[in-house]
């Protein structure tokens, strides 16, 4: 195996998934609905040789939802426009298995993979916000465990549809009059617990064979799904220890299922605060946190609890008993908050500040941040990072100052060595399930 | 009212929706999955000042399906890539109301409208092919009448979601800290016969207010739907008389509903055969028809009958009794075939040839074709045409030779006068249902 390589993603979220990010003077107020903003930032990331751009998503809002989620472009249409405006960078889009049809999802991602010439990835989520169900004809969201069982089958159906045609199914021989080799078109005929889908899909295999599968859930069910289906995961880690625990757990789960753990690329989120000195960077971080309004912090705290209204409690009493609140929402994240509040005897106010502000391990000079990145990467906490692009100045500075250090240390590429996202991430090309194993034969 | 203007669309269907179109030596065999081919042809159409490009669709195939449908890009991802590769031309995509969720459809078309800066249109279909149901967990397709009732409600829900935000809902005032004016976000709370959708949609109103609605069904239920919802229709007319009858009927239906008939733009399909003399053009047409294989003609005939197998009958006996075949498929088209076969006492062979080959009224020199176009346009048979781009040479020749004649006669624009598709088509900007009628006040 060649030298292990760090992977970098750029999460492009317009005006940002927090309450105040949109106030940055350098950030256009309409960034979340501006395809020009997305293309510009994707090109910046591509010039810096990032592996991919990453689009988060959720199909439910309230008036109090953070600015980016209130009003934003839809991931598939967004990424397709970015696809023809870039040439090498991967394109990962989030889409829920809870409120879509597998046939439509299979088609759109396969189409994106063809349009991008092999750079598409699907970030599989089940949707944490219960209110989303009411946008799709349901009174209540699927129970948490059911959501994940459905997701597993949903992905299997989509991957089955992606194999509808073998890689060489279309001779397109005008002289012989043969467009399709009918023996290489396959009908899936899936009849499962949740889905019944005949097929075949009406689109050929794409340059990647199949788009890459990402996954982002952090609950036990989420990790189990990730171990089964993910080729990449996006995770939110508070600190090195949490990241390492998640990393080891996920890779072990995958290995236990007979998978090669190297074939799941783990990318925690990264929001560095960069300055000329470590002290200055820490001061910026504290100032940013100080700007946050406590009411907004409470709203942000409530989101993983299905937008539970925490303003009804005494902020200076112990973190309230939320046993009556369903944890059917962003379960993994909500459980983490409850655990932390209980373990450290935090008040509601302390809990809100902790999770609205976060303890950011990536604060300091470019050298300091690069050191921390290397520490996580070389000590079993990640395979790279998903940079959350909110403050535009920080993204530019990270590219200008931190990326070169990572390159000098031989951790990160200085030029793309591949044309596809699978290539960038070191993931294998998935053989079509119906095909003769020609690669195996050739290798004998 | 200003002078009435001809409208031109370009139906881009890669290798073509007929059995043999892909054999054209000038057509790349992979055109249907090549975004480069689509972008190139959309740019040709834009340079010629066409109103729009148009993408047909259907979510079901068999091994015998015509080449384009076997393997093609998905319309929304395709059009989004074309959106950022063009600047003025409209972008119409087909999507079925039978197998999608209104919330997802509303999001994707609104997103396309933002990405294209006001050029999106949705061609509403209900899907004619019964087998499609089996790709979406259903044993049988919805009954024809039910399909159309669902479509009407589906479109109403989507349009309701498109009004979730008033046009000025986002002040994005950084100094005042106001991103959203909460009084201008609206919850739809739709509870209908087929759909229950809460809203609000998580995307702002687009430059067109709402994307344009096209519709293409030709049965009685299809025309009724068109009269209710369509701002444009795509129709397939055999001849001037049929086109005129459809045109008058649709406009009368719309007027009877209290709509302005000018706000439905009727565009029949157009596949001209151009040559230096009329005789030469007719010879090309006959030669093309002669190349068609009879078996392929039978398959093509079977498609509107839900891929009924017509090879089981004696081709030289009278057109068979198809009373036992469900007409739940492309009902309008199937009924037209049966009517013609009965009225003229055609054999199966004659019927197959008639409908595989069609009697094309647009065959001749550029002058002849321009004359026929003008005849249809000025005598109440259409508001323009949807050019079906199959033979690449013919599309280039139409632009080079016919469009200038139409421009010289003052029928077609020589430059775009608008930035949006609504502008090109002369359609009004839809006021948000929740907004104060400021335009009305300003006009007083």
């Amino acid at each position: 195996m060649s030298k292990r390589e760090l992977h970098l993603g750029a999460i492009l979220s317009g005006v940002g998934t927090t309450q105040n990010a949109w106030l940055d003077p350098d950030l256009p107020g309409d960034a979340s609905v501006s395809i020009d903003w997305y293309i510009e930032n994707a090109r910046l990331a591509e010039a810096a040789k990032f592996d991919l751009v990453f689009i988060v998503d959720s199909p439910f809002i309230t008036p109090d939802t953070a600015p980016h989620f209130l009003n934003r472009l839809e991931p598939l249409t967004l990424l397709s426009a970015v696809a023809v405006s870039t040439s090498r960078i991967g394109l990962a889009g989030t889409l829920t298995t809870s409120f879509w049809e597998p046939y439509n999802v299979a088609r759109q991602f396969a189409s994106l993979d063809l349009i991008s010439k092999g750079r598409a990835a699907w970030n599989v989520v089940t949707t944490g916000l219960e209110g989303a169900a009411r946008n799709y004809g349901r009174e209540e969201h699927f129970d948490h465990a059911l959501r994940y069982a459905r997701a597993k089958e949903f992905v299997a159906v989509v991957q089955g549809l992606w194999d509808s045609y073998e890689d060489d199914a279309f001779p397109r021989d005008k002289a012989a009059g043969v467009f399709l080799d009918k023996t290489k078109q396959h009908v899936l005929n899936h009849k499962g617990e949740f889905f019944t889908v005949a097929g075949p899909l009406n689109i050929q295999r794409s340059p990647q064979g199949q788009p890459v599968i990402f996954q982002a859930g952090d609950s036990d069910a989420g990790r189990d799904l990730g171990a089964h289906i993910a080729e990449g995961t996006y995770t939110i880690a508070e600190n090195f220890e949490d990241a390492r625990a998640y990393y080891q757990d996920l890779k072990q789960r995958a290995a236990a299922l007979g998978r090669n753990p190297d074939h799941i690329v783990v990318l925690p989120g990264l929001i560095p605060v960069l300055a000329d000195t470590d002290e200055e960077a820490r001061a910026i971080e504290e100032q940013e946190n100080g700007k946050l309004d406590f009411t907004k912090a409470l709203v942000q705290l409530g989101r993983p609890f299905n937008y539970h209204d925490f303003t009804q409690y005494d902020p200076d009493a112990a973190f309230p008993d939320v046993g009556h609140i369903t944890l059917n929402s962003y379960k993994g994240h909500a459980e983490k908050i409850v655990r932390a509040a209980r373990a450290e005897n935090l008040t509601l106010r302390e809990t809100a500040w902790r999770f609205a502000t976060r303890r950011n391990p990536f604060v300091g000079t470019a050298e300091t941040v690069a050191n921390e990145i290397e520490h996580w990467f070389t000590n079993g906490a990640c395979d790279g990072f998903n940079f959350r692009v909110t403050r535009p100045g920080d993204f530019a500075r990270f590219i200008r100052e931190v990326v070169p250090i990572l390159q000098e240390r031989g951790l990160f590429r200085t030029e793309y060595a591949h044309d596809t996202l699978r290539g960038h991430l070191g993931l294998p090309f998935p053989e079509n399930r119906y095909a003769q194993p020609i690669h195996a034969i050739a290798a004998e």
Side-chain angles (χ1 to χ4, degrees), chain A:
Chain A
M1 192 185 133
S2 57
K3 190 173 176 308
R4 190 165 162 255
E5 199 178 49
L6 184 83
H7 301 288
L8 289 177
I11 303 179
L12 304 181
S13 303
V15 293
T17 58
T18 56
Q19 293 285 342
N20 283 348
W22 74 281
L23 295 169
D24 186 308
D26 294 332
L27 193 60
D30 65 349
S32 294
V33 286
S34 164
I35 195 63
D36 299 335
W37 183 87
Y38 279 97
I39 290 172
E40 183 190 328
N41 280 279
R43 285 176 174 163
L44 281 177
E46 184 169 77
K49 316 302 174 194
F50 273 48
D51 294 73
L52 56 103
V53 294
F54 194 96
I55 307 297
V56 298
D57 196 46
S58 167
F60 173 67
I61 55 170
T62 73
D64 291 321
T65 297
H68 170 70
F69 288 116
L70 279 177
N71 178 17
R72 63 190 183 283
L73 297 176
E74 178 280 332
L76 266 297
T77 43
L78 187 170
L79 287 174
S80 194
V82 171
V84 291
S85 308
T86 54
S87 62
R88 302 294 281 274
I89 196 163
L91 308 163
T94 300
L95 191 144
T96 179
T97 54
S98 295
F99 307 113
W100 278 76
E101 291 283 349
Y103 197 87
N104 296 337
V105 172
R107 274 190 86 186
Q108 291 204 320
F109 276 101
S111 189
L112 180 64
D113 208 31
L114 273 155
I115 289 168
S116 65
K117 300 179 169 65
R119 298 182 282 136
W122 170 25
N123 179 40
V124 176
V125 300
T126 64
T127 298
L129 300 172
E130 301 218 330
R134 294 194 295 276
N135 289 333
Y136 296 93
R138 296 179 54 85
E139 276 303 307
E140 292 187 355
H141 197 359
F142 300 107
D143 176 75
H144 191 269
L146 186 63
R147 263 158 57 190
Y148 278 92
R150 289 180 84 259
K152 205 179 287 181
E153 187 180 325
F154 193 114
V155 173
V157 174
V158 168
Q159 291 180 320
L161 289 170
W162 282 338
D163 280 354
S164 292
Y165 288 113
E166 295 180 40
D167 295 284
D168 55 350
F170 292 94
R172 300 185 177 106
D173 182 338
K174 292 187 184 183
V178 179
F179 186 77
L180 164 69
D181 177 348
K182 291 184 187 182
T183 67
K184 297 187 174 178
Q185 184 199 56
H186 301 281
V187 179
L188 182 64
N189 266 334
H190 174 87
K191 290 188 176 71
E193 191 179 346
F194 306 106
F195 302 101
T196 303
V197 179
L201 196 66
N202 49 11
I203 187 165
Q204 71 182 48
R205 279 200 125 211
S206 57
Q208 294 195 108
Q210 298 188 352
V212 174
I213 298 288
F214 267 77
Q215 187 268 342
D218 190 26
S219 64
D220 183 64
R223 291 182 186 198
D224 177 65
L225 178 66
H228 274 92
I229 66 162
E231 300 177 282
T233 72
Y234 164 44
T235 169
I236 295 175
E238 293 289 303
N239 52 54
F240 173 80
E241 289 71 27
D242 282 6
R244 193 170 189 284
Y246 169 85
Y247 186 90
Q248 302 297 335
D249 180 49
L250 188 73
K251 301 258 172 165
Q252 277 162 19
R253 288 176 189 239
L257 293 168
R259 293 186 60 196
N260 179 343
D262 293 341
H263 294 164
I264 309 185
V265 176
V266 175
L267 305 181
L270 175 69
I271 316 182
V273 178
L274 290 162
D276 292 342
T277 66
D278 290 349
E279 293 68 34
E280 200 187 322
R282 281 196 292 267
I284 291 170
E285 173 80 346
E286 275 167 34
Q287 192 196 3
E288 288 290 323
N289 287 340
K291 276 187 203 157
L292 197 69
D293 175 60
F294 182 62
T295 312
K296 286 183 179 175
L298 278 184
V299 171
Q300 200 147 310
L301 183 72
R303 191 167 186 270
F305 295 91
N306 198 33
Y307 280 115
H308 183 64
D309 176 16
F310 278 105
T311 62
Q312 65 187 293
Y313 306 108
D314 175 0
D316 297 309
F319 184 78
D321 179 7
V322 290
H324 64 289
I325 305 168
T326 169
L327 286 187
N328 196 25
S329 193
Y330 287 103
K331 192 178 178 191
H333 191 44
E335 285 173 345
K336 186 186 288 183
I337 292 170
V338 175
R339 267 199 312 274
R342 293 279 169 266
E344 304 177 44
N345 278 318
L346 302 178
T347 64
L348 172 59
R349 188 185 301 278
E350 287 165 338
T351 310
W353 284 123
R354 163 79 58 85
F355 287 93
T357 59
R358 301 163 43 89
R359 287 176 188 163
N360 190 339
F362 301 94
V363 177
T365 64
E367 195 78 20
T368 299
V369 169
N371 289 345
E372 189 70 11
I373 287 174
E374 183 168 3
H375 173 59
W376 286 42
F377 178 63
T378 55
N379 290 287
C382 71
D383 297 310
F385 290 91
N386 230 349
F387 187 105
R388 293 172 66 179
V389 179
T390 45
R391 288 173 293 239
D394 285 3
F395 185 45
R397 188 164 186 165
F398 181 83
I399 288 174
R400 202 171 57 238
E401 298 183 2
V402 181
V403 170
I405 298 174
L406 300 172
Q407 289 170 328
E408 279 160 29
R409 295 183 187 176
L411 297 170
F412 189 61
R413 69 176 71 82
T414 54
E415 192 43 80
Y416 288 113
H418 301 274
D419 294 320
T420 67
L421 178 56
R422 286 192 178 278
H424 304 333
L425 296 176
L427 297 171
F429 181 93
E431 295 296 334
N432 188 303
R433 66 195 62 191
Y434 304 106
Q436 297 296 324
I438 46 166
H439 293 206
I441 292 166
E444 274 170 12

